[in-house]
Structure formats: structure tokens, C-alpha cells
Amino acid sequence: MTGATASVPAPLDVARVRAITLDLDDTLWPVWPTIAHAEARLQDWLAVHAPAACALAAQQGVVRRIRAEVQAEHAGLAHDLGALRREAIRRILVRAGDDPALADAAYAVFLAARQEVTLFGDALPALQALAARWPLVALSNGNADVQRVGIGRFFQASVSAADVGVAKPDARIFRLGAEAAGVPPGALLHVGDDALLDAQGALDAGLQAVWLRRPPGTVPGRPGAAHDGHVPHAPGAAPSCPVVSDLQALCGLMGLA
Ligand SMILES: [Mg+2]
């Protein structure tokens, strides 16, 4: 009998929600086109300032191999994708015989372009509606900055894995999100696209969660490419929380028209 009911997700208790933490990448904008764009800008910059590194990075599989190498050697930096990327750039410069001191400037080029996102069509209306009703806090493992992206006005605060030293699904980052929102974890709702990092992580930390599961084909991917670690996690078991297919549906679930 219990087995039959165990898979039914707990309904959202909207009355209990006093603040919302929101994931960013693949929740408010598709991350792969953003990263591809930023990598292209980085290559443009290298072509001018470090042509040998540019040529090396353009070789099939080189960037992916070096990033894997850096990730393996710096497991302690897994929460800091920016630091990993900067180190990968430095290594490419070294191997190509270019000046490794260019890594900081090169990374700055990448990071600036990484803020040039194209929001999902439902993101802005949802941010407007949600922010009018609840304090919003950005909670991301990535290195987007809501201020630089241009949506800072909707957020009371931002919590990023690189800044706080732990990444989702670690319960500590959700508790820091609650702190930033000024509410206890039980009064916080977390919304994100990743079943494990967002939904299950939030539930395990004592938050309510909504899993944003956009339909297949609506979130562009970049198969086979090395990236910031936004690999889709196959949920072993679906998180026990409500699922919405877009942010408009989230607003509906929250009782907003
Ligand atoms: Mg995400």
C-alpha cells in the first residue's frame, strides 16, 4: 500500500513559501548557446593576443582533454567553474608557448561574454510576477551574474557556489540561500532544472522544491562538447516534488495568474 503512494510527489504548500531561490543556467536561459558564444569570443581574443594558443584550442578535443585534466587535478575546486576554466586557459597558453600571464585577461573575456544570455521566453514575465510577490534569491553552481546579465532588479541576493565554497546539491548552499532570503529553510522554495542538483538537493536540505523540466527539444544542447559541468543527471528516482514544464506553469502553480 505504501509502495503505491510513495511515488506521488508531495503537493506544493504555497502558503508556507516566504521566499524563492532560483537556479539560473537552463532555468532562466539555455546555457549551452551561452557557453558556445563565450568560447567563440575567447577564441577571437586569443587569435589576436595568443595565436598559438588559439590554434591549439581549435584542435579537435584539445580543450576538452585539458579541462578534464584540470578537473581531475583540482577536485577541491569542483565548486568553482571559473577557477577551473581560468586554469585550463593558462595551461593551453603554456602548452602553446604563449604567455600564461594572459590567462586572467582571456578569462575576463570569456566571463563577460558568458553574461550575454538569451532568456527563455517565459523568464521575464515569471520573474516579474514572482518578484512582485516573494523575495527572490539566485542560487547557482555556474558563473553567471544576475547584475551583469541585466536581471539583477528582480533579485534580493545571489548565492553562487564559487563564492560560498560549496555547490548544489550540498545542503549548505541551500541553507545559505535561506539565510540570504532571510527565511528558515522550511519557508523557502527552490526552483531549478536539474533533478539532482536542484530538486533533490533542495528537498534534502529541508526546502520545498519544484523541478522545472522543460520538454525535450526546447533546451538547446551541445552534445559531446566540454563545458562548465552542466551535464544532465539522469534521475535515479524522480524527486518527490511538483514538476512544471515552464515558468508560466510555475506561476500558475504558485497561484499567480
Ligand atoms: Mg540549471
Side-chain angles (χ1 to χ4, degrees):
M1 189 174 73
T2 50
T5 55
S7 62
V8 177
L12 185 67
D13 183 354
V14 178
R16 203 151 57 85
V17 176
R18 285 168 47 203
I20 300 172
T21 47
L22 270 177
D23 173 53
L24 300 177
D25 291 322
D26 280 346
T27 291
L28 298 182
W29 55 77
V31 71
W32 294 116
T34 310
I35 298 293
H37 162 73
E39 287 179 341
R41 291 289 76 76
L42 172 60
Q43 278 295 88
D44 292 347
W45 189 89
L46 290 174
V48 175
H49 297 90
C54 177
L56 179 61
Q59 285 175 28
Q60 180 79 25
V62 166
V63 170
R64 195 190 318 180
R65 185 159 43 77
I66 290 180
R67 281 185 61 80
E69 205 180 280
V70 169
Q71 274 167 8
E73 286 172 31
H74 297 272
L77 280 182
H79 63 277
D80 192 343
L81 302 174
L84 292 173
R85 185 172 289 274
R86 196 165 42 235
E87 172 58 16
I89 293 170
R90 198 193 62 80
R91 227 169 257 214
I92 290 167
L93 288 163
V94 169
R95 294 211 184 147
D98 280 319
D99 181 1
L102 291 172
D104 284 348
Y107 176 69
V109 168
F110 172 87
L111 190 60
R114 197 248 189 269
Q115 315 302 326
E116 294 163 8
V117 307
T118 303
L119 295 170
F120 287 117
D122 56 10
L124 220 41
L127 284 171
Q128 275 157 353
L130 294 169
R133 173 72 182 78
W134 291 279
L136 303 184
V137 171
L139 192 71
S140 175
N141 283 359
N143 42 20
D145 174 339
V146 291
Q147 302 298 339
R148 293 177 77 180
V149 163
I151 53 171
R153 64 191 182 279
F154 298 116
F155 291 91
Q156 169 174 310
S158 287
V159 176
S160 84
D163 288 344
V164 302
V166 284
K168 295 179 287 184
D170 192 307
R172 287 173 291 178
I173 194 170
F174 291 102
R175 291 191 200 117
L176 289 166
E179 227 169 82
V183 303
L188 191 60
L189 166 68
H190 179 71
V191 180
D193 68 286
D194 194 299
L196 175 65
L197 301 185
D198 291 304
Q200 193 58 53
L203 293 174
D204 290 345
L207 280 64
Q208 294 198 79
V210 170
W211 180 19
L212 171 62
R213 192 179 194 188
R214 295 183 183 276
T218 60
V219 183
R222 207 162 59 119
H227 56 80
D228 269 24
H230 298 275
V231 280
H233 300 270
S240 182
C241 67
V243 181
V244 294
S245 60
D246 59 34
L247 294 170
Q248 192 182 355
L250 171 71
C251 291
L253 190 68
M254 300 298 289
L256 305 171

